[in-house]
């Protein structure tokens, strides 16, 4: 029978990597909480309509990438491709508008998109996500961008490029859309197949095409900045002023339109110079009409999401520190099988002291046990002789110093040595 492997595009995060994820997640959690954000746990699947209406029917995510299925009762459900629509749904469903505004929330977890897998692009991937709901203040956009940049600074990431743009709003976007279509119409035949199909349905996305021929054509396209209404251009100017206050080095990319339709005004991405083709470590922006598009009242919002896989890849590439790799405080070396019960007692005494402790269960040779113990701070060596005398030989692995401790005192003594 053929061995069952993980489906294409999904991966196991094994112990040699999972501790790095825990470090990144811990840094993100601490930072988000220190900026006044609170955690929410959102469902992994939602009604399909939440995404088709929220993200937009003509986006790649909704058209091609969703994992949609029917449940036993015939409801159409979808594994979340992102968290923003769910966050807004949750805000509305739990009447968060009735409390103090804005509401600042964060979440982290797996997202699912049926994309072509490659380095940094998976079908199940984790996002760190923050959203601020209920404020139109451009300083909130600045806070979002500032939070992502502070996260990367703390993680030690460098070689990043921050690109910002404004995608306008329902007042000014129709005029821009028309101007863009007029510009592109004569070049329609030269555009790639997917850009041709976007021409009527979602022409702004053509600006985002990575194909050289399309890029060359859109190089001369009208600048969205020239079409912004007063409100959008005032908002963008205020966001840029705020970013200057933070000392954030950003540049405007008029091609930045983002792949989700809910954006209004600010759009931004942080690109890593060390990731190759899938170089966005983070993307976000403002989405003032998303709540309405899913049947709620008007609720302005702004947020970002950052892929953990891409953060870890960048950090590994750049040799960033992930803090201390997990290691044991003590390893119990059982020299004589006859006194295994004593060794087990010692192991649990160490664990009750709150120490990280382990032992061998496979009857391995003393030499092999010592090899494992060399990864721990202390080896607790227990043989028949020590057991008979009520002592343990404790070896500090870093220095090689060894001494005998009373069996009953060994655990607390090791703990106090470690806290020194
Ligand atoms: P997004 O640009 O689709 O935006 O995704 C955000 C980030 O998730 C990307 O920059 C990337 O780091 C990561 N990511 C996306 N797709 C994949 C994938 N297939 N494999 C690995 N990593 C991936 C959003 O999802 C919006 N909800 C962001 C947002 C929050 N906007 C406002 N609030």
């Amino acid at each position: 029978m053929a061995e069952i492997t993980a489906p294409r595009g999904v991966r196991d995060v094994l112990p040699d990597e999972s501790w790095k994820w825990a470090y990144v997640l811990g840094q993100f959690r601490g930072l988000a909480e220190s900026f006044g954000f609170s955690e929410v746990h959102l469902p992994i699947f939602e009604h399909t309509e939440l995404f088709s209406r929220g993200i937009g029917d003509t986006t790649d995510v909704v058209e091609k990438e969703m994992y949609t299925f029917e449940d036993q009762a015939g409801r159409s459900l979808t594994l979340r491709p992102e968290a923003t629509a769910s966050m807004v749904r949750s805000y509305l469903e739990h009447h968060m508008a009735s409390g103090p505004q804005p509401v600042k929330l964060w979440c982290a977890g797996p997202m699912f998109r049926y994309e072509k897998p490659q380095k940094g692009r998976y079908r199940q991937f984790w996002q760190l996500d923050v959203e601020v709901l209920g404020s139109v203040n451009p300083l909130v956009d600045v806070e979002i961008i500032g939070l992502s940049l502070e996260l990367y600074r703390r993680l030690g990431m460098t070689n990043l490029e921050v690109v910002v743009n404004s995608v306008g709003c329902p007042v000014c976007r129709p005029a821009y859309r028309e101007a863009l279509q007029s510009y592109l119409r004569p070049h329609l035949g030269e555009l790639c197949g997917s850009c041709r199909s976007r021409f009527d349905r979602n022409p702004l996305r053509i600006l985002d095409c990575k194909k050289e021929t399309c890029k060359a054509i859109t190089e001369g396209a009208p600048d969205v900045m020239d079409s912004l209404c007063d409100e959008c251009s005032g908002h963008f100017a205020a966001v840029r002023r705020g970013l200057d206050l933070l000392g954030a080095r950003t540049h405007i990319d008029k091609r930045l339109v983002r792949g989700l339709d809910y954006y209004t005004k600010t759009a931004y991405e942080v690109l890593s110079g060390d990731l190759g083709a899938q170089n966005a470590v983070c993307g976000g922006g403002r989405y003032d009409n998303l709540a309405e598009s899913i049947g709620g009242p008007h609720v302005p919002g702004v947020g970002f999401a950052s892929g953990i896989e891409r953060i870890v890849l960048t950090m590994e590439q750049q040799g960033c520190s992930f803090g201390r790799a997990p290691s044991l405080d003590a390893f119990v070396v059982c020299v004589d099988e006859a006194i295994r019960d004593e060794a087990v007692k010692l192991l649990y005494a160490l664990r009750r002291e709150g120490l990280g402790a382990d032992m061998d269960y496979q009857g391995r040779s003393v030499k092999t046990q010592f090899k494992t113990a060399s990864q721990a701070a202390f080896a607790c060596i227990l043989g028949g002789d020590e057991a008979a005398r009520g002592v343990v030989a404790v070896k500090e692995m870093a220095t090689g110093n060894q001494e005998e401790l009373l069996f009953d005192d060994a655990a607390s003594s090791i703990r106090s040595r470690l806290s020194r």
Side-chain angles (χ1 to χ4, degrees):
M1 213 191 302
E3 199 175 279
I4 299 173
T5 57
R8 183 167 144 78
V10 308
R11 54 195 285 274
D12 302 310
V13 180
L14 298 175
D16 62 346
E17 192 185 352
S18 61
W19 68 278
K20 298 178 180 175
W21 282 47
Y23 175 76
V24 171
L25 192 57
Q27 291 289 320
F28 171 69
R29 175 192 297 273
L31 186 63
E33 304 273 340
S34 76
F35 270 56
F37 287 78
S38 306
E39 184 177 16
V40 284
H41 293 279
L42 297 169
I44 300 278
F45 59 85
E46 298 267 8
H47 290 292
T48 301
E49 228 186 329
L50 174 69
F51 303 118
S52 53
R53 278 166 43 188
I55 296 174
D57 271 331
T58 59
T59 57
D60 284 353
V61 170
V62 171
E63 271 189 340
K64 307 181 203 157
E65 297 171 3
M66 295 209 301
Y67 282 90
T68 297
F69 59 97
E70 259 192 18
D71 73 2
Q72 309 282 345
R75 300 178 194 95
S76 178
L77 301 173
T78 293
L79 297 184
R80 61 181 185 191
E82 57 110 51
T84 311
S86 301
M87 203 74 107
V88 175
R89 194 251 328 123
S90 178
Y91 173 96
L92 297 174
E93 193 167 333
H94 300 288
H95 312 291
M96 294 187 210
S98 58
Q101 303 297 300
V103 174
K104 297 163 75 172
L105 302 169
W106 72 269
C107 73
M111 310 292 155
F112 306 85
R113 294 183 194 176
Y114 190 78
E115 290 194 270
K116 203 164 168 208
Q118 64 181 89
K119 182 182 165 206
R121 186 162 73 188
Y122 311 98
R123 291 182 174 170
Q124 175 177 326
F125 55 96
W126 266 59
Q127 279 186 347
L128 307 172
D129 183 282
V130 296
E131 311 290 349
V132 180
L133 293 155
S135 175
V136 292
N137 193 329
L139 281 177
V140 176
D141 309 36
V142 174
E143 168 142 324
I144 285 294
I145 300 173
L147 200 164
S148 60
L149 299 185
E150 179 59 16
L151 174 66
Y152 304 140
R153 192 190 68 77
R154 288 193 190 185
L155 294 175
M157 290 162 65
T158 53
N159 195 15
L160 300 175
E161 189 187 356
V162 187
V163 287
V164 292
N165 195 17
S166 175
V167 294
C169 70
V171 172
C172 50
R173 202 178 300 148
Y176 180 64
R177 197 184 143 105
E178 238 165 69
L180 187 62
Q181 282 176 320
S182 308
Y183 169 82
L184 291 172
R185 198 165 281 114
H187 303 284
L188 208 51
E190 303 153 55
L191 292 172
C192 72
S194 43
C195 282
R196 275 203 300 278
S197 77
R198 283 171 180 153
F199 181 79
D200 285 318
R201 295 176 305 128
N202 203 344
L204 266 70
R205 289 284 291 148
I206 298 175
L207 295 172
D208 197 32
C209 183
K210 303 285 180 278
K211 300 236 166 56
E212 287 307 325
T213 43
C214 300
K215 265 164 86 173
I217 293 165
T218 52
E219 198 50 54
D223 191 332
V224 64
M225 290 295 151
D226 300 333
S227 303
L228 295 183
C229 61
D230 288 349
E231 197 191 309
C232 286
S233 64
H235 188 95
F236 192 60
V239 170
R240 298 218 72 210
R241 258 197 319 276
L243 290 170
D244 284 345
L245 289 178
L246 305 190
R249 284 225 310 269
T250 61
H251 78 254
I252 300 177
D253 180 356
K254 64 174 187 178
R255 289 171 182 278
L256 181 70
V257 288
R258 310 271 302 124
L260 312 158
D261 272 357
Y262 47 61
Y263 291 108
T264 50
K265 298 182 175 147
T266 315
Y268 90 105
E269 281 182 359
V270 180
L271 310 174
S272 163
D274 290 293
L275 275 182
Q278 299 305 315
N279 62 349
V281 274
C282 140
R286 183 164 274 284
Y287 47 85
D288 290 345
N289 302 315
L290 172 53
E292 279 163 285
S293 69
I294 60 169
H298 182 75
V299 180
V302 56
F304 80 75
S306 187
I308 289 200
E309 291 84 353
R310 293 188 193 178
I311 294 177
V312 171
L313 275 171
T314 304
M315 289 175 69
E316 284 177 340
Q317 194 84 22
Q318 298 181 349
C320 301
S321 163
F322 290 94
R324 223 166 58 95
S327 63
L328 289 174
D329 297 314
F331 190 84
V332 177
V333 176
C334 181
V335 176
D336 183 350
E337 268 307 303
I339 48 114
R340 177 161 284 275
D341 288 359
E342 292 304 300
V344 170
K345 275 193 214 157
L346 178 61
L347 174 66
Y348 279 86
L350 290 160
R351 287 175 171 172
R352 271 194 299 275
E353 283 293 330
L355 300 177
D358 205 358
M359 69 183 289
D360 163 61
Y361 291 109
Q362 305 298 98
R364 291 203 170 89
S365 71
V366 174
K367 192 172 160 206
T368 315
Q369 290 184 59
F370 263 111
K371 216 166 164 189
T372 315
S374 67
Q375 314 291 322
F378 291 92
C380 299
I381 306 144
L382 203 57
D385 170 50
E386 282 88 3
R389 290 189 292 119
V391 297
V392 189
V394 175
K395 181 173 180 179
E396 189 175 7
M397 302 313 279
T399 59
N401 292 340
Q402 185 167 321
E403 63 181 308
E404 276 188 358
L405 300 176
L406 285 175
F407 187 94
D408 291 340
D409 296 344
S412 63
S413 169
I414 290 174
R415 185 171 56 78
S416 52
R417 278 158 210 236
L418 280 164
S419 55
R420 248 185 260 139

